Amino acid sequence: IRDSNGQGTCDLLLPTGQAIPPGGTYTCTFTAFTAGDAEGTHDNTVTATAIDNDAGSNPAVATDDATVTFTNEPPEITDTKTALPGSVAETGAAVTFTVTITNDSFEPVTITSITDTDFPEIGLAGGECFSLVGTTLPPAGDPGSTVSCSFTRTLSGEPGTVHENTVTVTVIDNDDSTASGEDTATVTFFDVPPTVTITKTPDPASVPETGGAVTFTIVVTNTSAEPVQIVSLTDTVFGDLFAADPSCAALQNTWIDPGGTASCAFTATVQGEVALPHTNTVTVTVEDNDEGGEPGTASDDATGAIAAVADAATLTRDCDAYHGTRDNATEVDGPIGADVPCRVAGETAAAE
């Protein structure tokens, strides 16, 4: 028994063959792989030859055919999209997306389009993945059945939120059957605490040991990439500056744009020992618009020198200026700013 493809699939031991009694039957089966274009057919014919036990008799021959019709099998692909890194700072960073396309079909497929929900330009002329459009992928498992492309974009967002974008790839086979695959990549955003700088400048930078008024100027600069709000301003010597001075109180809850500044000035009396500088440190605390986010702080100190009180000669001149130049004017030691008596011929008067 042999079919039209020349395959002897029902094995009969020749020359004896297989005896079939009158009215009897002989049956055999075989399995073969067939493939073809959709709506096409596979035809094959089997021929059986038989002889009886009469010497010299002519053999009997019979044939029959079988037809297999092929139905369409849509192509199959796998489309994956990855993001690296998968998490970036809220202020923004570059993320590289990689799209990988694999032909899972038994026949070649051709890529007809690549689209993205957020970055549609990647599949258009000049886009990073456009070179793959029109590419024919060999059947699954063959070299070249997988291709990929990558593109990089800068993403930013609120902490705790997620960026999602989905790529869709469409292919077609030689039967004009199409298939699509899609995959979504996600990127999360984490909080970045705000940053600020603060400077504190005294004017004047030196006062007498007995005390003097000093004006402290404070400047807060937002070095963050987003606006910040001043929530506290404290000083190691003068305490809560919002409560201590109207100028600094105006800064409470003030918003500062990126790169912007806010300032205030307050005046206080400073005194101390000679050669022991007065130092006080101001600290600012700010927050951004991220609920529950970590605040930012900055500190700066101001240092002023303490000068010695004026000596006796200065007091003598003060007395002279008040009484006129007199040889018998003598000074009496006393603190600057207090009444310093000058004794002149038994007369006592206050020095200026």
Side-chain angles (χ1 to χ4, degrees), residues 193-196 220-231 253-258 260 285-289 296:
T195 58
V196 291
V220 181
T221 301
N222 180 11
T223 55
S224 308
E226 58 185 342
V228 298
Q229 184 181 38
I230 300 175
V231 295
N253 297 324
T254 295
W255 285 91
I256 309 176
D257 290 330
T285 301
V286 298
E287 295 177 349
D288 57 21
N289 64 342

Side-chain angles (χ1 to χ4, degrees), residues 91-316:
T91 50
V95 178
T96 298
F97 297 94
T98 300
V99 179
T100 303
I101 308 163
T102 300
N103 181 15
D104 299 321
S105 310
F106 68 93
E107 62 182 343
V109 297
T110 300
I111 300 172
T112 58
S113 69
I114 300 175
T115 61
D116 191 279
T117 53
D118 288 60
F119 311 111
E121 68 277 5
I122 66 171
L124 303 177
E128 293 91 335
C129 295
F130 180 71
S131 61
L132 297 184
V133 177
T135 299
T136 297
L137 307 182
D142 287 359
S145 59
T146 296
V147 294
S148 64
C149 62
S150 297
F151 61 96
T152 300
R153 297 293 185 273
T154 297
L155 301 179
S156 61
E158 294 299 321
T161 62
V162 179
H163 167 88
E164 296 184 341
N165 66 81
T166 301
V167 67
T168 301
V169 178
T170 302
V171 299
I172 192 171
D173 62 16
N174 63 339
D175 302 314
D176 291 332
S177 297
T178 61
S180 295
E182 66 178 34
D183 194 32
T184 299
T186 61
V187 178
T188 60
F189 302 103
F190 58 83
D191 182 49
V192 176
T195 58
V196 291
T197 61
I198 188 169
T199 59
K200 185 178 186 182
T201 306
D203 183 28
S206 178
V207 294
E209 61 181 316
T210 50
V214 177
T215 298
F216 297 95
T217 300
I218 298 169
V219 179
V220 181
T221 301
N222 180 11
T223 55
S224 308
E226 58 185 342
V228 298
Q229 184 181 38
I230 300 175
V231 295
S232 74
L233 190 64
T234 60
D235 191 280
T236 53
V237 174
F238 305 110
D240 181 2
L241 296 182
F242 289 159
D245 184 84
S247 172
C248 292
L251 296 187
Q252 186 171 12
N253 297 324
T254 295
W255 285 91
I256 309 176
D257 290 330
T261 62
S263 63
C264 70
F266 68 95
T267 301
T269 298
V270 175
Q271 64 183 28
E273 296 295 327
V274 176
L276 294 179
H278 166 90
T279 300
N280 62 85
T281 302
V282 66
T283 299
V284 64
T285 301
V286 298
E287 295 177 349
D288 57 21
N289 64 342
D290 302 325
E291 184 176 354
E294 184 179 346
T297 62
S299 298
D300 189 34
D301 55 42
T303 300
I306 305 299
V309 172
D311 57 19
T314 301
L315 291 176
T316 300

Side-chain angles (χ1 to χ4, degrees), residues 1-3 5-12 30:
I1 301 176
R2 188 172 294 274
D3 69 13
N5 287 340
Q7 298 175 346
T9 53
C10 290
D11 188 18
L12 298 180
F30 66 95

